[in-house]
Amino acid sequence: MAEAVARSYADLPWIRNARFDTWFILGLLGISLAVGAVIGWEPALFYPILLIDLWLLGYHHVISTFTRLAFDKKSFRENRFLVLGITPIVAAVTGGIVLIFGIWAIVTIYFYWQWWHYARQSWGISRIYRSKDPTAEYENGWLDQAIFYAVPVAGILSRSAEQHETFIGLELWSVPVPPSIASASLHIAGGLLVLWFALRIRAAMRGQLAVVHTLYMMTHFAIFALGYILVPDITFGWLMINIWHNAQYILFVWMFNTKRFKDGIDPDARFLSYISQPHRLWLYLLVCVAITGVVYWGVLGALDWLFFAGVSATIVLYQIVNFHHYVVDSLIWKVRKPKMRETLELSTTPAE
């Protein structure tokens, strides 16, 4: 009996396999929950944990983007403008905003943009899980999107209504959302979640439940509720969802690369294909961490020391990198693109 259950579990429509996806869906949420519990128990541990998150996940996840853009000649040719053209534009716009308005402006932009970035990444992953099980029963159209974004939207409205003056110790301007609007959004989100559960129960009774997609959606709702609604401290809540997002991105990019180079070493992308083989996750992570050290500690540190002074300049430099990452990510990970779907082994027709 146990063997049959294990076999059935292994045969579910995972994006990689049962072991990887279990960690990807449940393990990452578990890590975020553990971090929240530790900080709740001892708030003084926040900054040490933040430092670990930045160096092992945050900076690393930005560097992972470049394994998609510039680690082989073909990718660099296809994405030359994203690497060389967008960077000075983002730098100029970010610097201009700081000069005109001050540091608080880019802190505010970061807070709201990162919320959208996290939600959009999760949306894309949910589409991938959905495409892996196209015969299951799903919500479609506006209802599908309303259910998915209900908790994230209620979360950002709630945080805005709370009118926090600082975020990660920096001045923040919050959109002036009336508490009544935030409260209404929470009630709407609650109603949509009840409807979603009812629809999934109906699908299960019909034998058409998308098991893996449903599991992923539950973790999506949970992390956004924790990060933006249930955890009182805006910064503590952000750290929980930031860890989830960063780790999710790193693992997804690695998985994408393993699928891209599933036939072995590619002579046209020898280095990337070598570190992207299934049994070399440790090497892929080590390479990205090493590059992280060079870029963030070496290059950005040197620029800050040579041309700028103080914490403010460091924040500006790091946000230029973050904003570039947000722009690029919105362009290179379109699940509806045929090449993406072929690499990820998805059905030819994108999920609605």
Side-chain angles (χ1 to χ4, degrees), residues 121 194 336:
Q121 176 174 298
V194 170
R336 64 176 177 269

mmCIF file of all heavy atoms in Angstrom, residues 121 194 336:
data_model
loop_
_atom_site.group_PDB
_atom_site.id
_atom_site.type_symbol
_atom_site.label_atom_id
_atom_site.label_comp_id
_atom_site.label_asym_id
_atom_site.label_seq_id
_atom_site.Cartn_x
_atom_site.Cartn_y
_atom_site.Cartn_z
ATOM 1 N N GLN A 121 6.306 36.694 -10.238
ATOM 2 C CA GLN A 121 7.086 35.453 -10.299
ATOM 3 C C GLN A 121 6.225 34.269 -9.883
ATOM 4 O O GLN A 121 6.238 33.214 -10.528
ATOM 5 C CB GLN A 121 8.320 35.537 -9.386
ATOM 6 C CG GLN A 121 9.110 34.229 -9.341
ATOM 7 C CD GLN A 121 10.392 34.353 -8.553
ATOM 8 O OE1 GLN A 121 11.282 35.127 -8.909
ATOM 9 N NE2 GLN A 121 10.513 33.605 -7.459
ATOM 10 N N VAL A 194 -12.514 31.230 -0.042
ATOM 11 C CA VAL A 194 -13.572 30.260 0.242
ATOM 12 C C VAL A 194 -14.120 29.691 -1.065
ATOM 13 O O VAL A 194 -14.318 28.467 -1.196
ATOM 14 C CB VAL A 194 -14.699 30.913 1.074
ATOM 15 C CG1 VAL A 194 -15.909 29.976 1.163
ATOM 16 C CG2 VAL A 194 -14.196 31.263 2.473
ATOM 17 N N ARG A 336 4.484 31.990 -21.940
ATOM 18 C CA ARG A 336 3.762 31.771 -23.188
ATOM 19 C C ARG A 336 4.685 31.656 -24.402
ATOM 20 O O ARG A 336 4.256 31.248 -25.475
ATOM 21 C CB ARG A 336 2.750 32.896 -23.427
ATOM 22 C CG ARG A 336 3.356 34.264 -23.611
ATOM 23 C CD ARG A 336 2.300 35.298 -23.928
ATOM 24 N NE ARG A 336 2.838 36.651 -24.040
ATOM 25 C CZ ARG A 336 2.926 37.500 -23.041
ATOM 26 N NH1 ARG A 336 2.504 37.142 -21.834
ATOM 27 N NH2 ARG A 336 3.410 38.720 -23.217
#
